[in-house]
Amino acid sequence: MEMNPQDMQDFEKVVLAGMKLMYDERTFGIFKQGMMKQDVPLPQRLAMEAAGLMKMLMEKSGNKIPPQILPSAAAMLLMEMGKFMAEAGVAKPTSDEMREATMLLMKMLKSLFSKPQGQPQGGAPQQPQPPGAQSPQQPVPPQAAQPQPASGLIGQPA
């Protein structure tokens, strides 16, 4: 499936802005603290940080990120976070952990950006499909899908 040129430009802008924000000296400490939490499973940490980053980006953009690119931009940023963790020696996410993190992220995006009834707001597509998610979805324990109010990007105001 090919993305239209405008969506591709928007996707690139969002991913670059996300990487810039993630590595910015003012937010990097928050991101690092969330990634280092050992009491939260790795897939959930990745999903929470990626969702938090997307929330910050959406707020900074004035809710102008096109909803159709949210899932793919978030998945790309999650992959970047996994790569960072491996390179920094924090953790070495496996393919299965990245797949689980992506599924959790899509659920979090849906709850963060779904259009509330009666309120005009950008929302995520009904059933976002992350790139490369070809295996059947496995059940996730209810507590694993819930972001925890703790350190990290998701709990931070923009």
Side-chain angles (χ1 to χ4, degrees), residues 16-86:
L16 289 174
M19 290 173 68
K20 183 178 178 183
L21 188 59
M22 190 168 76
Y23 295 119
D24 183 273
E25 63 186 42
R26 292 170 292 177
T27 53
F28 182 75
I30 300 166
F31 165 65
K32 182 180 173 191
Q33 189 176 5
M35 288 280 100
M36 302 290 281
K37 286 184 63 83
Q38 296 301 316
D39 60 333
V40 178
L42 182 59
Q44 188 175 351
R45 277 187 275 163
L46 283 163
M48 287 169 51
E49 294 308 307
L53 183 58
M54 291 307 295
K55 180 182 175 196
M56 290 173 79
L57 288 167
M58 184 62 90
E59 290 170 355
K60 286 186 179 299
S61 76
N63 293 321
K64 291 188 168 104
I65 297 174
Q68 67 273 18
I69 68 160
L70 278 173
S72 31
M76 181 66 79
L77 289 166
L78 181 128
M79 299 300 157
E80 179 64 26
M81 288 178 183
K83 178 182 165 199
F84 168 79
M85 289 181 82

Side-chain angles (χ1 to χ4, degrees), residues 89-155:
V90 173
K92 299 222 182 294
T94 65
S95 295
D96 286 342
E97 287 172 323
M98 292 303 289
R99 195 172 1 269
E100 183 182 346
T102 303
M103 288 189 288
L104 287 169
L105 173 61
M106 294 304 131
K107 289 178 184 180
M108 289 178 189
L109 289 177
K110 191 169 187 173
S111 70
L112 280 172
F113 300 116
S114 288
K115 182 179 175 182
Q117 286 201 334
Q119 289 192 6
Q121 179 184 347
Q126 287 296 352
Q127 293 191 346
Q129 293 298 317
Q134 297 163 350
S135 67
Q137 187 169 351
Q138 297 183 359
V140 176
Q143 73 276 10
Q146 298 298 319
Q148 310 223 341
S151 58
L153 292 175
I154 199 158

